[in-house]
Amino acid sequence: MGLIVDLIEIDSTNPKVAVDPFGVELDEAAKAAIHIAQTSVAQFLESQAPGGLSGVVVNLVDGQLHIQSTAQVVVPVTAQALCSLEIVEGKQLKVVLDEVSPTAGRGIVEAQLERINPVVDTNDLPLNIEMTHIDLSDGWISIYGNVSP
């Protein structure tokens, strides 16, 4: 399962929307916002987690993702990762590892991030969106950008 985009907003005066296949056609440039709930991020990470990893919890605090999960080694070990989000070339959103505790889990977390990144790629959307900035607040990741016609 991929990451669920909960809402896409387009600020345009005259969009043309096709249902099957889904597409949006614009006569002029517009602003866009992509919204992803922290619960959607947790579900995505849980679905992508390797065997033995469970209980993924995601909280958005002070502009960062606080991710916690439990790995079943010999005994259950709870790990916490502090991550930030980075826009790459206006088209991709990547999760970047800032800290992990216990530090012995760093390699596992880095390998998992390598597998799931980019978590958003606007090349996969039916719009030509260039991401400009991100806001993390009130349980939502909001990605803002410009849409070309």
Side-chain angles (χ1 to χ4, degrees):
M1 173 176 92
L3 176 63
I4 293 173
V5 171
D6 294 282
L7 176 66
I8 298 177
E9 296 178 293
I10 303 166
D11 185 8
S12 177
T13 55
N14 193 23
K16 294 171 187 69
V17 179
V19 177
D20 191 18
F22 179 75
V24 179
E25 186 178 314
L26 303 174
D27 293 332
E28 59 188 23
K31 298 288 184 190
I34 300 169
H35 303 286
I36 304 166
Q38 71 184 19
T39 54
S40 295
V41 175
Q43 289 171 352
F44 170 69
L45 294 175
E46 185 92 36
S47 74
Q48 299 296 310
L53 195 65
S54 63
V56 176
V57 177
V58 175
N59 290 298
L60 306 177
V61 180
D62 297 328
Q64 292 184 303
L65 288 99
H66 292 243
I67 304 167
Q68 179 177 310
S69 64
T70 303
Q72 183 65 39
V73 193
V74 176
V75 295
V77 176
T78 300
Q80 296 182 352
L82 182 59
C83 300
S84 53
L85 296 172
E86 175 183 272
I87 295 172
V88 179
E89 297 178 359
K91 292 293 185 182
Q92 296 181 330
L93 185 69
K94 292 189 174 187
V95 178
V96 177
L97 180 61
D98 297 324
E99 284 180 41
V100 67
S101 174
T103 55
R106 187 171 195 87
I108 295 168
V109 174
E110 287 173 339
Q112 187 65 12
L113 290 178
E114 189 69 30
R115 252 180 29 87
I116 66 167
N117 273 323
V119 292
V120 174
D121 189 335
T122 61
N123 293 312
D124 296 335
L125 299 175
L127 295 165
N128 186 16
I129 299 176
E130 182 174 338
M131 296 182 270
T132 58
H133 63 283
I134 310 161
D135 178 53
L136 282 73
S137 60
D138 299 324
W140 291 90
I141 297 170
S142 297
I143 307 159
Y144 298 96
N146 301 309
V147 185
S148 300

